[in-house]
């Protein structure tokens, strides 16, 4: 297969310009290592772990499974407890993690200095204004997170087709496209827009190496269309795109009734999410699962290698039409 070399592959030392999106509770060693070993960049979720030492153990586990580059995500968003951000950064430095991705708020100057002392710094943004702030703070690469994405799309609803070129027009650092990307045709489109690579979550959620229960993955792969996501928590200014289920529709219904966040919080807390992912598998009635609108384009659970091979082959074939 023809290789595609970009600033992303050259700077990060990876074979393919594909980053596996950070997914809380999901982006653990098995999935991260499989993506990196196949030639992409796996991203470990620090917010999955409650202490810096738990994160260290998982970093060591990734290193035992691959010697190829991987990243650690540190997300600066409101949480039910204050994560040990400084401890996470320290662990990355001590364990030789060379790539750190941040999301949410831009870290403090002291934390930025610590990150850049240890690693290449990527930051995920949903609008150009925030990306410019990150660039001015010393960020090495911006992930342009379009409205179609899973999880937190921000509150401004800028779609990927506009956000990527807007970022490229206004920034001097490399840009990677995120938000609703799961196929090779979409990857080709992102590259044509000027991106240096793509950032995909939903495609890697639906892989065999992902540790989520098989019945959860199979249900989503076999039934979801592009219409089967829902925006919840918008009234609390914490918009989250998730798979449309009885539970998530119930959350939105209570929001429309003006219920306070405390009314829905017990149904969507992290403990319930983990139980649904790894214990009971009750997608319809328990917690929620974040997926992007591209879930309608993914209809099978495959190995990480097949997922990457298929995306790359389709991307190359699409781009070759213009040779």
């Amino acid at each position: 297969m023809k290789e595609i070399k970009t600033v992303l592959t050259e700077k990060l030392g990876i074979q393919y310009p594909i980053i596996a999106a950070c997914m809380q509770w999901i982006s653990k060693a098995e999935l991260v290592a499989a993506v990196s070993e196949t030639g992409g960049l796996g991203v470990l979720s620090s917010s999955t772990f409650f202490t810096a030492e738990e994160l260290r153990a998982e970093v060591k586990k990734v290193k035992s499974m691959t010697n190829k580059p991987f990243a650690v995500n540190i997300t600066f968003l409101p949480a039910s407890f204050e994560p040990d951000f400084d401890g996470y950064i320290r662990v990355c430095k001590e364990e030789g993690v060379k790539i750190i991705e941040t999301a949410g708020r831009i870290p403090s100057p002291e934390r930025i200095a610590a990150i850049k002392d240890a690693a290449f710094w990527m930051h995920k943004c949903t609008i150009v204004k925030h990306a410019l702030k990150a660039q001015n703070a010393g960020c090495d690469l911006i992930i342009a997170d379009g409205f179609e994405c899973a999880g937190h799309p921000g509150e401004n609803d800028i779609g990927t087709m506009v956000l990527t070129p807007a970022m490229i027009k206004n920034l001097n650092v490399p840009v990677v496209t995120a938000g609703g990307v799961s196929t090779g045709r979409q990857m080709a489109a992102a590259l044509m827009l000027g991106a240096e690579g793509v950032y995909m979550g939903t495609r890697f959620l639906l892989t065999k190496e992902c540790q989520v229960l098989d019945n959860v993955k199979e249900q989503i792969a076999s039934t979801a269309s592009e219409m089967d996501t829902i925006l919840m928590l918008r009234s609390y200014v914490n918009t989250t795109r998730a798979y449309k289920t009885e539970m998530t529709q119930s959350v939105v219904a209570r929001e429309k009734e003006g219920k306070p966040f405390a009314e829905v919080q017990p149904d969507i807390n992290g403990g319930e999410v983990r139980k649904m992912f790894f214990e009971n598998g009750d997608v319809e009635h328990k917690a929620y699962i974040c997926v992007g609108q591209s879930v309608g384009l993914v209809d099978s659970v495959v190995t990480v290698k097949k997922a990457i091979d298929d995306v790359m082959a389709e991307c190359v074939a699409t781009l070759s039409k213009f040779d």
Side-chain angles (χ1 to χ4, degrees):
M1 185 189 342
K2 178 183 176 182
E3 289 193 359
I4 296 175
K5 295 295 184 184
T6 71
V7 170
L8 184 68
T9 61
E10 297 299 329
K11 284 188 175 293
L12 302 190
I14 57 179
Q15 184 176 0
Y16 304 122
I18 295 174
I19 301 175
C22 171
M23 297 175 280
Q24 188 179 20
W25 317 123
I26 296 170
S27 295
K28 297 195 284 189
E30 292 82 1
L31 180 57
V32 171
V35 172
S36 290
E37 188 65 19
T38 304
L41 183 74
V43 181
L44 187 65
S45 167
S46 68
S47 58
T48 295
F49 307 99
F50 294 101
T51 70
E53 290 310 306
E54 287 178 353
L55 174 62
R56 187 192 303 276
E58 199 73 4
V59 167
K60 287 181 177 293
K61 188 174 180 180
V62 176
K63 289 162 63 176
S64 75
M65 300 170 77
T66 183
N67 60 6
K68 295 186 178 179
F70 67 95
V72 170
N73 168 281
I74 304 174
T75 296
F76 295 89
L77 284 174
S80 57
F81 70 98
E82 177 70 15
D84 183 8
F85 295 126
D86 297 317
Y88 295 159
I89 296 168
R90 185 187 69 252
V91 163
C92 288
K93 183 174 182 178
E94 291 173 353
E95 294 299 328
V97 175
K98 298 301 183 184
I99 306 160
I100 293 177
E101 175 198 45
T102 58
R105 299 187 303 270
I106 295 173
S108 67
E110 295 77 15
R111 286 171 174 160
I112 289 172
I115 289 169
K116 288 184 66 66
D117 183 54
F120 183 92
W121 176 31
M122 311 186 299
H123 187 68
K124 186 162 55 178
C125 302
T126 60
I127 60 173
V128 171
K129 177 182 177 181
H130 294 163
L132 285 168
K133 288 182 179 179
Q135 175 181 271
N136 293 339
C139 186
D140 298 302
L141 180 147
I142 292 293
I143 297 164
D145 201 17
F147 182 57
E148 301 94 324
C149 71
H152 301 288
E155 308 300 323
N156 295 280
D157 303 356
I158 310 299
T160 296
M161 187 60 73
V162 170
L163 186 63
T164 290
M167 292 283 195
I168 291 164
K169 177 181 178 181
N170 288 281
L171 298 173
N172 298 319
V173 296
V175 173
V176 168
T177 292
V181 180
S182 286
T183 72
R185 290 188 182 92
Q186 292 171 303
M187 180 177 177
L191 296 174
M192 294 292 278
L193 289 172
E196 301 294 338
V198 292
Y199 185 92
M200 304 192 303
T202 301
R203 173 63 277 186
F204 290 115
L205 165 69
L206 302 179
T207 57
K208 294 185 182 298
E209 289 87 346
C210 173
Q211 299 296 294
V212 169
L213 290 171
D214 288 342
N215 74 289
V216 174
K217 294 184 288 187
E218 291 294 346
Q219 176 177 333
I220 295 170
S222 63
T223 64
S225 77
E226 74 281 1
M227 299 292 290
D228 287 315
T229 70
I230 191 169
L231 295 174
M232 63 180 193
L233 310 184
R234 173 143 280 192
S235 65
Y236 313 121
V237 197
N238 188 26
T239 302
T240 302
R241 187 182 298 281
Y243 184 48
K244 186 185 291 183
T245 64
E246 289 186 24
M247 172 56 76
T248 55
Q249 290 179 92
S250 168
V251 170
V252 171
R254 281 176 277 170
E255 285 190 73
K256 290 179 178 178
E257 293 171 1
K259 301 293 186 182
F261 180 70
E263 175 77 19
V264 302
Q265 196 276 335
D267 294 326
I268 62 170
N269 72 65
E272 291 300 315
V273 172
R274 293 194 300 277
K275 287 178 184 177
M276 183 268 291
F277 282 158
F278 308 117
E279 296 177 25
N280 61 55
D282 188 351
V283 178
E284 282 296 324
H285 307 104
K286 301 291 184 181
Y288 68 99
I289 184 166
C290 292
V291 295
Q293 288 183 325
S294 66
V295 69
L297 302 175
V298 182
D299 57 10
S300 60
V301 178
V302 299
T303 64
V304 163
K305 184 178 188 309
K306 179 166 175 53
I308 290 178
D309 285 350
D310 287 353
V311 167
M312 286 302 303
E314 186 176 79
C315 178
V316 169
T318 302
L319 292 173
S320 70
K321 296 177 182 179
F322 304 98
D323 288 344

